[in-house]
């Protein structure tokens, strides 16, 4: 995500009001949006061995229909993961270049990080 000035945000709001008659019309538009690109920072809290842990990462996510390519990296590029999801297979590549395969991005990420993140559902959250 990129920062915008207050003027740019106000202009975007005005365009949004004119372009979409209602929130439901906006949702219809989002549902038809097949491709998009997100860059930013993500913060995650999760249970780990009876305690709460927190992690953050830079994220570069390119979505194309139900397929996606995602690059996650911790501070200074440490702990880098790449996830590539296609219809019948997901590939996770760790910072050492080792590849792991599964049909589920959620299961694959959990097995290698201990974090349960609903990757397949997050595209709805991002677009909203």
């Amino acid at each position: 995500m990129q920062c915008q000035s207050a003027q740019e945000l106000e202009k975007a709001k005005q365009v949004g009001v004119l372009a979409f008659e209602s929130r439901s019309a906006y949702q219809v538009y989002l549902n038809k949006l097949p491709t998009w690109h997100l860059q930013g920072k993500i913060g995650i809290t999760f249970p780990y061995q009876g305690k709460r842990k927190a992690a953050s990462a830079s994220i570069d996510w390119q979505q194309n229909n139900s397929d996606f390519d995602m690059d996650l990296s911790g501070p200074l590029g440490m702990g880098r993961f790449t996830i590539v999801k296609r219809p019948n297979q997901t590939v996770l590549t760790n910072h050492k270049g080792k590849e792991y395969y599964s049909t589920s991005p959620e299961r694959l990420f959990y097995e290698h990080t201990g974090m349960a993140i609903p990757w397949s559902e997050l595209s709805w959250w991002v677009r909203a």
Side-chain angles (χ1 to χ4, degrees):
M1 294 185 210
Q2 297 186 7
C3 295
Q4 294 179 320
S5 71
Q7 292 172 337
E8 289 172 319
L9 289 173
E10 187 57 37
K11 186 176 179 182
K13 287 180 188 175
Q14 292 171 1
V15 169
V17 169
L18 296 174
F20 302 103
E21 298 165 1
S22 66
R23 175 137 177 90
S24 61
Y26 180 63
Q27 284 302 126
V28 168
Y29 166 76
L30 290 178
N31 291 341
K32 292 180 180 178
L33 191 63
T35 62
W36 46 267
H37 184 199
L38 169 79
Q39 290 179 308
K41 190 118 176 129
I42 185 171
I44 305 163
T45 60
F46 56 97
Y48 181 76
Q49 297 180 348
K51 298 180 183 178
R52 301 280 311 155
K53 286 197 77 165
S56 66
S58 295
I59 185 168
D60 188 339
W61 182 348
Q62 295 185 15
Q63 185 85 23
N64 185 4
N65 294 311
S66 63
D67 296 344
F68 63 78
D69 292 26
M70 185 182 307
D71 186 53
L72 296 164
S73 62
L76 304 174
M78 298 170 61
R80 175 176 235 110
F81 288 94
T82 301
I83 303 170
V84 176
K85 182 193 171 294
R86 297 297 180 260
N88 299 317
Q89 186 175 57
T90 300
V91 180
L92 181 143
T93 306
N94 68 16
H95 65 282
K96 295 179 180 178
K98 179 120 172 104
E99 293 182 343
Y100 302 92
Y101 301 86
S102 176
T103 56
S104 165
E106 291 80 9
R107 183 178 6 193
L108 195 56
F109 196 76
Y110 180 76
E111 288 172 358
H112 295 280
T113 68
M115 292 184 265
I117 299 174
W119 294 115
S120 298
E121 303 302 320
L122 281 180
S123 69
W124 294 106
W125 177 80
V126 168
R127 290 182 288 170

